[in-house]
Amino acid sequence: ATAAEKASVVAREQARAELDVREGGRQASAEKAVAASSRAAGLRGRLDGLRARLAEEEARGIARAARRAGGRPLAEGLEVEAGFRVAVEAALGDAIRGYIVGREAIPALDGQRGTVVVGSGAGLAGLSGGAGSAFEGGRAAAEAAQAVVAAAAGYGGGKLSDAIRVDPGGAASRLLSRAVWLPDLSAALEMQPLLAPGWLAVARDGAVVTSAGVVSLGRSESLLDRRAEIDRLAEEVARLENEAGVSSAEAAAAAQAASAARTALDAARDAERTAGATRREAEEIERRAARALEGVAREAAWHAS
């Protein structure tokens, strides 16, 4: 009975240790689920705010009219290297919030307020001279462009259109075909005398210097950054919601395991109590037998005497 009681004590301690482990796992999973849900809720609020502001852009009259005419936002699907988004938006100016519309559909938008970008058929009209003069003019323009890009490279810059990764339709790349980027405003100002007519020098912080010497400083809120932030937040919210779901499932499984461990601990305690009672009963029987034996021994000794 004593050995059985000791075994039941060991089993009870093992059951208690198992319960502690299960409870720890349940609590950790529950805390992880709560943290992920809480963070997802916060990011979802930011995401909804950004989407609402983007929806305001889409609700403008020019936006609805351009879409009816088959147009689409210039910024839609446009992907730019993160470090050049500010420069690209500054170079594009109002066009970044504009809509790409076919040339033939633009007259129907007369009376609207906003910016549209000619989509198809946007090439420059040929020069008034013959084919020979057009060829000479194109070659001169190409040489001038190469000179500007080479000069920008000498200041640590380059062609701004090279920063575009994805440009559906190519409208943004076309608009940036006469823009170079420079590391800072000082370099852009030094680059200004070297710009061919119609070219722009854009600092990475958003300052724009034209070939005519006009300098635009500062920038408005970045539409490209907003779109990129929406995509990033949407992915992050989806990841956190998935993580919260997984953690909740783990917490539920851990709660079941903890409940089973608690039941096992209760059973081990009952077994320990039963073993203890059995041992005490056996000890009492042993004591009665010892007293009876002592009495019989004394009586035997009296008879022998």
Side-chain angles (χ1 to χ4, degrees), residues 177-191:
S177 61
R178 293 187 177 185
V180 290
W181 68 269
L182 283 305
D184 51 39
L185 177 58
S186 298
L189 290 173
E190 293 181 13
M191 182 69 196

Side-chain angles (χ1 to χ4, degrees), residues 80-89 159-160 163 181 204 224:
V80 180
E81 292 185 24
F84 291 91
R85 288 175 187 157
V86 174
V88 166
E89 288 200 52
K159 198 172 181 180
L160 187 55
W181 68 269
R204 290 189 64 169
L224 293 179

Side-chain angles (χ1 to χ4, degrees), residues 1 4-13 16 265-280:
E5 184 182 23
K6 289 180 179 179
S8 66
V9 170
V10 172
R12 187 253 302 161
E13 290 298 328
R16 180 187 295 277
L265 176 59
D266 292 340
R269 285 171 174 168
D270 290 340
E272 182 183 5
R273 284 193 292 269
T274 300
T278 302
R279 189 260 308 161
R280 289 190 295 274

Side-chain angles (χ1 to χ4, degrees), residues 202-221:
V202 187
R204 290 189 64 169
D205 62 359
V208 180
V209 180
T210 70
S211 59
V214 178
V215 181
S216 301
L217 301 175
R219 64 185 180 91
S220 59
E221 183 186 14

Side-chain angles (χ1 to χ4, degrees), residues 286-304:
E286 184 183 25
R287 284 193 294 271
R288 288 200 300 267
R291 287 195 297 270
L293 176 60
E294 184 181 357
V296 170
R298 283 198 303 270
E299 185 176 356
W302 183 77
H303 282 291

